[in-house]
């Protein structure tokens, strides 16, 4: 037996008053987008303070659930069976049919909870629940009623038809995409930045992304890997506009002019400057990176401070306090790990010094950057104007 609908539950505490509409409307929109990709015919509606997804006559339940589980803002998904309203006697038969399909041979404790959304329904909720409970007891002799701490709650919603559900599947939580503006993700081919993008998207933030490519030092396959990672993140975040910046000339110029132990930090500052430039044009209100404190030389607290100094937008570093293990666990959970560990380098090793500075001093770095004055503005402008834009859906 397949389910006819899904009841979508979301955390309501956080969304009082006016925001509730914005939240619900965004959630409905994201559910529609997610299910469109599964197949046609799902119908998502907001009715009487509930969000229901009505399913087509035939559909792949597992795929539909997988899609719903990736929609931020959903706390629980309850698969529902819907029966025509032909009076309480018939409903008693229907609830037994439901139990036989969903919990065959049920032998635990249970209660029936009825919610009368249709106020004109002639039987009061309590009486209706009692009637349903009796029918279940008769059909399942080993089951027992426990109204206080039942192992199973069978919920009935009386609407124009009779809705029955009793199981809940956990959703992603978070907030629907689009309820919290947009931010620019610095997306490399590594493990950390896709996870960082996922985490900020989970707070309702739409993503745009930038990748710094350095051909021929970084290969086309490295670029394809970043595109693939963006696609994987987009399964949660929805469409991502990916800007691919050709960073080669800037890197070579820094390599030529600046002390090699400062290359990484100066490169990172230019990445942030360029990302912020694109962010401004795309109405992004923040930057996102996969930096984690102390992970590598460019991520010591001193390095982060010096990198951050070029930014005026807030920089979100959601994995800042995570150990690698914790980031890997999340990467596996969201399905980006296997792609992230493919061996194509996202940053050419010739540009990485053997002993990079780990405690850069801002004034020293600024002094080194002054050696770039002659040509760097032109190179940055050129990188921006030749950016390739890829729409990831
Ligand atoms: P990741 O696993 O995300 O690549 P990492 O541990 O390799 O991170 P770094 O290479 O120091 O760390 O990069 C730190 C952050 O800077 C990355 O998480 C990412 O947000 C950004 N970044 C680094 N290289 C690039 C790049 N080529 N294009 C876009 N962003 C980059
Ligand atoms: Mg990296």
């Amino acid at each position: 037996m397949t389910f006819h609908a899904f009841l979508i539950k979301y955390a309501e505490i956080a969304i009082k008053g006016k925001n509730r509409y914005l939240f619900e409307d965004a959630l409905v929109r994201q559910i529609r987008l997610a299910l469109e990709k599964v197949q046609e015919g799902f119908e998502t509606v907001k009715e009487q303070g509930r969000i229901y997804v009505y399913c087509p006559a035939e559909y792949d339940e597992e795929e539909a659930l997988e899609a719903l589980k990736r929609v931020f803002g959903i706390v629980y998904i309850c698969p529902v069976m819907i029966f025509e309203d032909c009076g309480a006697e018939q409903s008693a038969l229907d609830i037994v049919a439901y139990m036989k399909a969903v919990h065959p041979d049920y032998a635990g404790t249970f209660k029936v909870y009825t919610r009368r959304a249709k106020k004109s329904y002639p039987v009061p909720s309590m009486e209706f629940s009692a009637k349903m409970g009796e029918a279940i007891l008769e059909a399942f002799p080993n089951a027992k009623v426990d109204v206080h701490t039942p192992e199973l709650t069978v919920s009935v919603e009386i609407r124009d038809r009779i809705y029955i559900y009793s199981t809940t599947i956990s959703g992603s939580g978070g907030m629907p995409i689009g309820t919290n503006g947009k931010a620019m993700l610095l997306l490399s081919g590594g493990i950390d930045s896709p996870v960082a993008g996922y985490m900020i998207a989970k707070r309702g933030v739409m993503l745009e992304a930038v990748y710094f490519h350095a051909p021929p030092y970084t290969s086309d396959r490295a670029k394809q890997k970043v595109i693939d990672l963006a696609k994987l993140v987009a399964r949660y975040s929805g469409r991502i506009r990916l800007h691919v910046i050709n960073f080669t000339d800037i890197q070579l110029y820094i390599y030529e002019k600046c002390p090699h132990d400062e290359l990484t930090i100066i490169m990172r500052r230019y990445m942030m400057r360029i990302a912020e430039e694109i962010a401004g044009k795309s109405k992004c209100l923040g930057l996102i990176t996969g930096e984690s404190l102390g992970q590598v030389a460019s991520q010591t607290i001193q390095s982060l401070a010096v990198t951050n100094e070029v930014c005026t937008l807030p920089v979100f570093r959601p994995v800042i306090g995570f150990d690698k293990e914790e980031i890997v666990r999340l990467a596996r959970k969201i399905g980006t790990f296997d792609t992230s560990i493919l061996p194509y380098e996202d940053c050419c090793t010739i540009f990485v010094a053997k002993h990079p500075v780990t405690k850069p001093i801002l004034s020293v770095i600024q002094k080194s950057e002054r050696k770039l004055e002659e040509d760097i503005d032109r190179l940055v402008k050129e990188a921006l104007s030749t950016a390739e834009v890829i729409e990831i859906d």
Side-chain angles (χ1 to χ4, degrees):
M1 205 188 269
T2 49
F3 291 99
H4 305 113
F6 297 107
L7 169 62
I8 303 297
K9 295 197 168 172
Y10 46 92
E12 293 170 64
I13 309 147
I15 42 162
K16 297 216 177 80
K18 208 172 66 187
N19 289 336
R20 185 181 171 118
Y21 281 91
L22 296 175
F23 185 100
E24 288 172 339
D25 291 348
L27 186 53
V28 166
R29 201 162 40 241
Q30 294 306 320
I31 291 171
R32 284 181 184 151
L33 285 171
L35 290 174
E36 256 170 31
K37 290 189 191 115
V38 176
Q39 76 171 68
E40 277 184 1
F42 288 100
E43 212 182 312
T44 308
V45 293
K46 203 169 96 173
E47 42 186 43
Q48 300 174 355
R50 299 279 214 182
I51 292 175
Y52 272 104
V53 173
Y54 292 101
C55 305
E58 268 178 49
Y59 68 99
D60 185 328
E61 193 174 299
E62 204 171 315
E63 246 185 80
L65 277 172
E66 282 311 310
L68 287 172
K69 281 198 244 174
R70 286 194 295 263
V71 176
F72 294 131
I74 297 179
V75 179
Y76 294 113
I77 306 156
C78 306
V80 181
M81 277 187 193
I82 303 179
F83 300 89
E84 293 306 320
D85 174 16
C86 303
E89 300 304 325
Q90 180 59 43
S91 292
L93 299 176
D94 293 338
I95 203 166
V96 168
Y98 168 90
M99 285 293 292
K100 286 194 167 151
V102 181
H103 307 285
D105 306 319
Y106 189 70
T109 59
F110 75 98
K111 80 166 178 186
V112 177
Y113 174 77
T114 303
R115 185 170 178 259
R116 225 166 26 139
K118 182 180 176 180
K119 296 294 171 212
S120 62
Y121 191 81
V123 185
S125 305
M126 296 285 262
E127 197 179 308
F128 188 89
S129 292
K131 230 180 164 70
M132 299 303 118
E134 272 168 38
I136 292 172
L137 280 176
E138 216 164 282
F140 295 82
N142 296 322
K144 257 212 295 282
V145 171
D146 179 349
V147 291
H148 299 296
T149 50
E151 290 162 298
L152 180 73
T153 299
V154 185
S155 296
V156 181
E157 264 188 50
I158 301 176
R159 299 170 163 256
D160 285 332
R161 293 179 293 167
I162 308 295
Y163 293 42
I164 304 177
Y165 61 91
S166 64
T167 52
T168 49
I169 296 156
S170 290
S172 278
M175 313 200 39
I177 297 291
T179 52
N180 237 334
K182 188 159 65 163
M184 178 68 66
L185 169 65
L186 283 86
L187 182 62
S188 68
I191 296 169
D192 308 332
S193 46
V195 170
Y198 166 90
M199 287 177 75
I200 296 301
K202 187 173 173 184
R203 302 312 303 162
V205 178
M206 199 182 287
L207 298 183
E208 205 156 312
V210 55
Y211 166 57
F212 297 92
H213 189 38
Y217 303 102
T218 55
S219 65
D220 269 352
R221 289 205 295 186
K223 175 176 147 188
Q224 187 56 46
K225 175 178 161 183
V226 172
I227 295 171
D228 292 342
L229 284 170
K231 282 184 189 157
L232 292 171
V233 174
R235 297 191 309 161
Y236 300 91
S237 68
R239 57 168 38 223
I240 297 176
R241 173 173 292 170
L242 172 66
H243 304 259
V244 179
I245 297 282
N246 187 325
F247 205 51
T248 313
D249 290 345
I250 294 172
Q251 276 192 324
L252 288 172
Y253 191 52
I254 300 171
Y255 189 75
E256 181 193 327
K257 299 281 183 185
C258 300
H260 289 182
D261 60 347
E262 294 171 6
L263 284 181
T264 306
I265 192 87
I266 294 175
M267 266 163 36
R268 304 256 334 115
R269 280 163 61 92
Y270 276 96
M271 282 186 187
M272 295 303 250
R273 286 182 174 111
I274 291 172
E276 186 158 296
E277 188 82 25
I278 310 171
K281 284 188 206 133
S282 329
K283 302 201 169 70
C284 291
L285 298 176
L287 303 178
I288 307 164
T289 76
E291 288 160 312
S292 158
L293 196 53
Q295 200 184 81
V296 286
S298 61
Q299 296 174 23
T300 61
I301 197 162
Q302 293 85 352
S303 297
L304 288 171
V306 171
T307 306
N308 206 66
E309 191 263 344
V310 300
C311 303
T312 57
L313 288 176
V315 181
F316 304 130
R317 300 177 170 93
V319 301
I320 195 73
F322 282 11
D323 293 339
K324 197 76 191 184
E325 298 297 305
E326 294 169 302
I327 303 174
V328 164
R329 203 178 313 139
L330 249 177
R332 285 189 197 280
K333 184 182 134 191
I334 66 173
T336 53
F337 184 74
D338 291 340
T339 303
S340 286
I341 60 169
L342 292 174
Y344 325 124
E345 273 304 316
D346 59 35
C347 162
C348 183
T349 39
I350 70 152
F351 297 112
V352 178
K354 263 221 177 75
H355 301 287
V357 281
T358 54
K359 293 182 184 166
I361 293 160
L362 181 59
S363 58
V364 174
I365 298 296
Q366 284 170 330
K367 195 170 152 215
S368 299
E369 284 183 354
R370 281 200 282 279
K371 297 178 187 144
L372 303 169
E373 263 166 8
E374 200 183 318
D375 228 9
I376 194 73
D377 288 349
R378 181 183 69 79
L379 291 175
V380 167
K381 230 186 223 150
E382 195 170 296
L384 283 166
S385 66
T386 57
E388 181 190 357
V389 176
I390 303 171
E391 300 288 348
I392 309 274
D393 208 346

